[in-house]
Amino acid sequence: MLELIAHNLAPIMFISVMGMLLLGYPVALTLAAGGLFFFVIGVALSEIAPSEINLFWPLLRAQPERVFGIMSNDTLLAIPFFTFMGLILERSGMAEDLLDTIGQLFGPIRGGLAYAVILVGALLAATTGVVAASVIAMGLISLPIMQRYGYDTSVATGTIAASGTLAQIVPPSLVLIVMADQLGVSVGDMYKGALLPALIITGAYCAYIFVLSILRPKAVPALPIEDRTLGNGIWSLVVVMALAVAVYVISARTLYADMLPTNRLVAAATTAVVLAYLVAVANRVFGLTVLSKLAEQVVIVLIPPLALIFLVLGTIFLGIATPTEGGAMGAVGALILAIAKRRLDFATLRGAVESTAMLSTFVMFILIGARVFGLTFYGVNGNVWLEELLLGLPGGEYGFLIVVTVVVFILGCFLDFFEIAFILVPLLAPVAQTLGIDLVWFGVILGINLQTSFLTPPFGFSLFYLRSVVPTQDWTDEVTGRRMPAIRTPRIYRGVLPYIALQFAMILLVIGVPSLVTHYQDTPRRPVVPASAPATSATPQTGGTSGSQSGGNSLGLPPLNFGGPGSAPSGSTGNATGGATGTGSSSGSQPSMGLPPLDLNGTGGSGSAPAPAQPSMGLPPLDFGGGAGGSAPASPAPEPEPEPEPAPAPSGGIDLSQPPSFN
């Protein structure tokens, strides 16, 4: 029995810990306790299966260093920065302003409020990155309005829940930060890879509302004319946008023509946006009639969050800032926006700091527990067991991706994405790498999968967030005086089903068309070249230099031969220091500090001649390859020849190949 347990300790440990998590026990404590418990069992059983269990008590000494490794991880600093930024923006009333303004902008068309919810969900995702904040904010603000104007309850709740989950995949998503850290890839590459799929998902949501507005127009009615408080000033907005584009083009070609392309783009875009914003502010302050009320409101409300998105994502994509630095700038920008709107007080700031600290502590404790679990799991060869299990799946990389998608989707209905990212992803990453799967592509697939699991009944987290703010009893609308029906849970479940289908279609699309993600590899990267590195020839040289670069040592040292041929090809003249001269020119004129050539291969350089004429300071040539310092023949002999006798030491020198003599 003990032998059976010892040989199967890895699957027993994995299933036991996952079962405890699914039962609802605290994640960090379950991981740490499970890791320590099975560590003790593994040490006791290590004598029964020494080839499968590599655990011993001194191994625990490595745990403090692993914990300090978590604390010194700069990438994880982005989590509190983006969390703080999202909380400040959510509590400063940005969501209300965006929903009201975009709702007025799209109000005249059927489904306008639904379009507004989707677009605001994408904007909140790009600024907050937190699903709970997005779903709760839009549920409190837009759901009563959608009910007031006759939207179908299922459509309204499904759209709000699905739009809130965009924070899982739209950069700067916390999911993408954690995925990049656990997969060992760049957060910037993960953001670039996820951007196009995120835009496609947002477009697919809008396309669904468009189709619905044609097939079921009563389910998504347009905003009544009497409630369009900003009027019809769409053409004024179009003119403002056209003028902003013109300012961008002109300034890029004149004022900033001498700048680098990246700096020119940033400077020209900033000039155009700031000019449009100043015109809108002047129109409001001085009562001008240059812009319509709609255009003025749209510019004033939309430009600040869009500028913040560019400050965060634009600087990351352009390579100006790292994700951690971008998060820090975003946090500062959110504070500035809240101060400018006069919506930042001590209570708001304190609440945001406390929530950020709680989330950061939650993440750190899960990471520490995952490190304890991982130490034991790898010690019982759990990674080998899991790798063999997954590599044995039929279908190669696509079979692996499909199985992982199903498993992660099921677990995502019960576990938070932090738990999946810290427990499962580190175990799956080596298998994906073995199969040749791009890890950024793999991470984006997992991100979309987790986004889908947030929507899936009955345990989708987004559904619980929305359920906590929807009316559970009939209520009276203060504006119209009508009685509004309560929203039941089955209505919410029915509303998210079309969006779940869209999510699954998106997963299959990303798996089938990897270039939607891997386009990040086309971004040119700046080569890292030391400033003082000398120019080298295109062909690697070992043991010498070629052509005009022969004898290129700047310190006057003889060339080093680390196992290369040590000479030019047959027919070229070997130089006196063991280097190769591709043109037959000798480098004997180079100073060699009186040292013999270094031959680390034991051959003396193929085709190189002995160097008796070189002064050797009374020492024989250095030979680290087991040879005796003699020279090899110019061409290989047809049959093995006996090893040559050691070369005699120079006159007056000491022969180090002989025992010492004290006579």
Side-chain angles (χ1 to χ4, degrees), residues 508-551:
L508 295 177
L509 180 63
V510 172
I511 292 177
V513 188
S515 59
L516 293 175
V517 176
T518 57
H519 64 85
Y520 78 93
Q521 298 173 347
D522 300 333
T523 304
R525 301 177 185 271
R526 182 180 302 173
V528 180
V529 180
S532 60
T536 58
S537 60
T539 305
Q541 300 292 332
T542 53
T545 53
S546 63
S548 61
Q549 294 184 7
S550 129

Side-chain angles (χ1 to χ4, degrees), residues 109-127:
I109 62 177
R110 285 183 301 209
L113 290 178
Y115 291 129
V117 168
I118 294 171
L119 295 179
V120 170
L123 288 174
L124 291 178
T127 51

Side-chain angles (χ1 to χ4, degrees), residues 384-468:
V384 178
W385 163 73
L386 193 62
E387 185 172 347
E388 291 177 351
L389 180 67
L390 294 176
L391 289 178
L393 295 172
E397 65 177 35
Y398 290 102
F400 167 78
L401 289 175
I402 292 173
V403 170
V404 168
T405 297
V406 174
V407 171
V408 171
F409 174 77
I410 295 173
L411 291 177
C413 296
F414 303 93
L415 302 178
D416 191 68
F417 72 88
F418 282 122
E419 301 157 13
I420 294 175
F422 293 146
I423 301 171
L424 202 60
V425 172
L427 302 176
L428 298 175
V431 184
Q433 206 161 14
T434 302
L435 291 171
I437 297 174
D438 183 271
L439 292 182
V440 174
W441 178 42
F442 184 56
V444 172
I445 292 173
L446 292 180
I448 302 174
N449 198 345
L450 290 174
Q451 179 192 358
T452 308
S453 67
F454 262 60
L455 280 176
T456 307
F459 302 107
F461 288 96
S462 181
L463 306 180
F464 285 116
Y465 298 146
L466 182 60
R467 190 73 188 91
S468 65

Side-chain angles (χ1 to χ4, degrees), residues 7-11 13-14 51-54 374-393 426-431 434:
H7 289 294
N8 296 279
L9 191 58
M13 177 183 178
F14 184 80
S51 61
E52 298 180 12
I53 301 177
N54 303 308
L375 182 68
T376 304
F377 193 70
Y378 279 83
V380 297
N381 283 341
N383 57 322
V384 178
W385 163 73
L386 193 62
E387 185 172 347
E388 291 177 351
L389 180 67
L390 294 176
L391 289 178
L393 295 172
L427 302 176
L428 298 175
V431 184
T434 302

Side-chain angles (χ1 to χ4, degrees), residues 626-648:
S631 61
S635 59
E639 295 181 0
E641 295 183 3
E643 185 174 343
E645 294 294 327

Side-chain angles (χ1 to χ4, degrees), residues 607-625:
S608 63
Q614 285 286 349
S616 59
M617 299 175 62
L619 296 175
L622 296 178
D623 182 3
F624 297 95

